[in-house]
Amino acid sequence: MKIRIPPFDTLAGKISGHARLLRDDPERFARNMLQFTRPGLFERRLVDVLGTTPMHVRYDAGAPAAPRLNVLDNAWTKTGMTGGPNTIINLVCRVAQHGVAVRLVSTSTPVAVEPAWFRAHAESLLGSSKFPEVDVVSAASQAAPLGLGPGDVFLVSHWSTAQQLKAVLPTLPVRQFFYMLQEFEPGFYPWSSNFALALETYGMDFWPVINEATLADFLLSQPYGRLADPVTRQRALVFAPAVDSALFFPAAQRDPARKPRLLFYARPSNTRNMFGMGLLALREAAADPAFAGWEFLAIGGRGSVPELALGGGHVLRAAPWTTYAGYGDLLRSADIMLCPMLSPHTSYPVLEMVACGGLSVTNTFATKTRAVFAAISPSIIAAEPTVQALAAALVHGAGRIAEGTPRDARIGMPGNWGDVLGPLAGRMAAVMRELVAK
């Protein structure tokens, strides 16, 4: 057997290429090395397709037929309790209050939520100690499959969990499910495998549960799957997000000695928050005299944003990660929030900042128009999603602060989640009973 040794110049070229890659893109270099050290992981990352990890379930036709709601997420974890998952927990706990059994199911990882912590967290979301029994379980282990029976109905929290559910539904009596839609999720990706797989889920037989009318108007007009089908429109359960008045309210008085403060909702990993465009707009705006003496803080990124120069002596610094109550205090201490969001959804921080007495600068998109924002609050300054338009909106906001324009914390959104999710939970419980009884 002869061993072929590449010519020296070819070998030297390969070594030089790898050295340049290590210098210029160490993360990509490390991924490439996986093909030799961990080929299975290298292939998964190379293919980069979500929603293909199977759920492990066991169906028992003789199990109790009482309705039970299984709420799917890739991983229910303590660190993952952000706005979207919290809204789901708030809703499904209220479904449980209607006498329906509820399970939170991690589809891709073992359970990582401590029951006592979860109970306290859910009680804080519901605003009461009347916490119903909700189990946190896993369908990720082949050795311990999740037991299912005739009364099981599902709610998926993300398109990837809808893909995981697709393989399970043919084995069950109830094949319709609830689809929690809090975004146009194909937009999370460029045109790609994951974009196509996310679109595919809109062709399944589901009941849409849609967070916000602007998103519903966008989704139910799209030519994908069943979104524009009259049956889907009739089924759609649309709710307005609440801005909890117990957490988000104006400060009793403002410290006159404090520097004016701008918060930048900076999440580089969440591409629809347009970190790059927001930073460029912030740098352009910071050069204006209107921002002389201001303080600039990055929030929302869990330490992913380093200290960044904005020019003119201004620096963007990351605010420490805080509790939910501490987050409300931080909003009350600020004057303007920049929160770009390339999505039909308004974004929670935009609404929460206004409720705390500040100004929110954000962008328009599709059904999310200036007129829509104006109807919600005069303290939302909406601009086209361009660097120049966002910068101009920021300068306009700084001018309003300098002029001492009275703070207007009124907001055209419910102030209590119970008023929103209570009736929705009752409707979902009724639909479940109808589906199981068929």
Side-chain angles (χ1 to χ4, degrees):
M1 175 181 173
K2 292 182 179 181
I3 299 176
R4 182 177 178 275
I5 300 176
F8 177 78
D9 57 344
T10 302
L11 185 62
K14 287 181 176 293
I15 293 173
S16 176
H18 284 301
R20 285 195 302 273
L21 184 62
L22 176 61
R23 178 195 66 199
D24 299 335
D25 193 346
E27 290 186 8
R28 184 179 173 192
F29 175 84
R31 287 197 300 270
N32 284 351
M33 290 301 99
L34 286 175
Q35 63 186 300
F36 307 110
T37 58
R38 297 184 65 187
L41 180 59
F42 174 77
E43 180 179 333
R44 288 198 299 275
R45 292 184 176 179
L46 184 69
V47 173
D48 187 30
V49 173
L50 302 179
T52 56
T53 303
M55 288 201 303
H56 297 285
V57 302
R58 182 188 69 254
Y59 179 69
D60 178 4
R68 178 169 56 186
L69 183 63
N70 300 276
V71 187
L72 305 186
D73 195 12
N74 297 123
W76 291 106
T77 63
K78 184 176 180 179
T79 56
M81 299 299 178
T82 54
N86 279 339
T87 301
I88 294 172
I89 291 171
N90 201 335
L91 171 61
V92 300
C93 285
R94 295 177 193 276
V95 172
Q97 289 176 336
H98 286 267
V100 174
V102 172
R103 297 189 295 189
L104 301 184
V105 182
S106 291
T107 62
S108 301
T109 64
V111 173
V113 176
E114 200 275 322
W117 175 88
F118 175 74
R119 184 183 186 93
H121 179 69
E123 287 176 355
S124 72
L125 294 175
L126 270 67
S128 105
S129 59
K130 297 178 180 178
F131 175 70
E133 290 301 320
V134 173
D135 294 326
V136 186
V137 297
S138 174
S141 171
Q142 189 172 8
L146 181 70
L148 299 176
D152 281 296
V153 181
F154 290 83
L155 182 148
V156 301
S157 62
H158 184 261
W159 72 264
S160 62
T161 55
Q163 283 286 356
Q164 290 176 302
L165 179 61
K166 184 178 73 171
V168 173
L169 286 176
T171 67
L172 303 176
V174 180
R175 297 177 185 178
Q176 294 176 8
F177 62 96
F178 295 105
Y179 199 153
M180 188 73 167
L181 297 166
Q182 303 193 78
E183 258 307 351
F184 177 64
E185 291 179 343
F188 292 176
Y189 314 94
W191 286 350
S192 60
S193 302
N194 286 327
F195 183 94
L197 289 167
L199 283 184
E200 180 192 1
T201 65
Y202 294 149
M204 298 172 72
D205 192 3
F206 63 90
W207 288 71
V209 183
I210 308 178
N211 184 347
E212 207 168 60
T214 51
L215 179 60
D217 291 343
F218 179 84
L219 287 172
L220 299 178
S221 65
Q222 298 303 304
Y224 304 123
R226 304 185 186 211
L227 287 178
D229 190 301
V231 173
T232 302
R233 283 178 165 273
Q234 187 176 16
R235 288 177 178 176
L237 306 171
V238 182
F239 65 96
V243 183
D244 190 342
S245 58
L247 286 170
F248 304 108
F249 53 86
Q253 60 182 15
R254 306 185 76 82
D255 181 0
R258 177 181 60 77
K259 287 184 178 181
R261 176 179 287 174
L262 184 146
L263 304 178
F264 176 24
Y265 193 65
R267 300 178 69 191
S269 63
N270 194 331
T271 54
R272 68 191 188 280
N273 282 121
M274 299 192 294
F275 173 77
M277 180 177 288
L279 181 62
L280 293 175
L282 199 55
R283 283 176 169 159
E284 184 171 317
D288 193 281
F291 279 107
W294 279 64
E295 178 184 22
F296 299 85
L297 295 179
I299 66 171
R302 284 188 180 270
S304 61
V305 179
E307 187 172 293
L308 295 168
L310 299 177
H314 296 298
V315 178
L316 177 68
R317 295 184 173 87
W321 191 260
T322 184
T323 62
Y324 201 37
Y327 165 64
D329 292 336
L330 181 61
L331 297 190
R332 276 183 285 280
S333 76
D335 301 280
I336 296 176
M337 177 188 285
L338 170 61
C339 184
M341 181 72 158
L342 199 69
S343 158
H345 199 281
T346 57
S347 183
Y348 286 175
V350 171
L351 309 176
E352 292 158 351
M353 182 64 181
V354 168
C356 287
L359 299 177
S360 285
V361 173
T362 189
N363 61 276
T364 57
F365 179 83
T367 53
K368 190 173 68 176
T369 64
R370 283 193 180 92
V372 166
F373 280 123
I376 295 172
S377 170
S379 296
I380 300 175
I381 305 172
E384 293 296 317
T386 70
V387 172
Q388 294 73 27
L390 286 171
L394 287 168
V395 172
H396 173 66
R400 285 174 58 173
I401 298 299
E403 292 166 1
T405 304
R407 306 296 179 104
D408 192 340
R410 292 175 301 164
I411 187 165
M413 289 287 183
N416 183 291
W417 278 109
D419 295 340
V420 175
L421 299 182
L424 175 61
R427 175 67 179 133
M428 287 179 62
V431 169
M432 286 185 62
R433 291 187 174 99
E434 293 170 7
L435 293 175
V436 172
K438 287 183 178 178

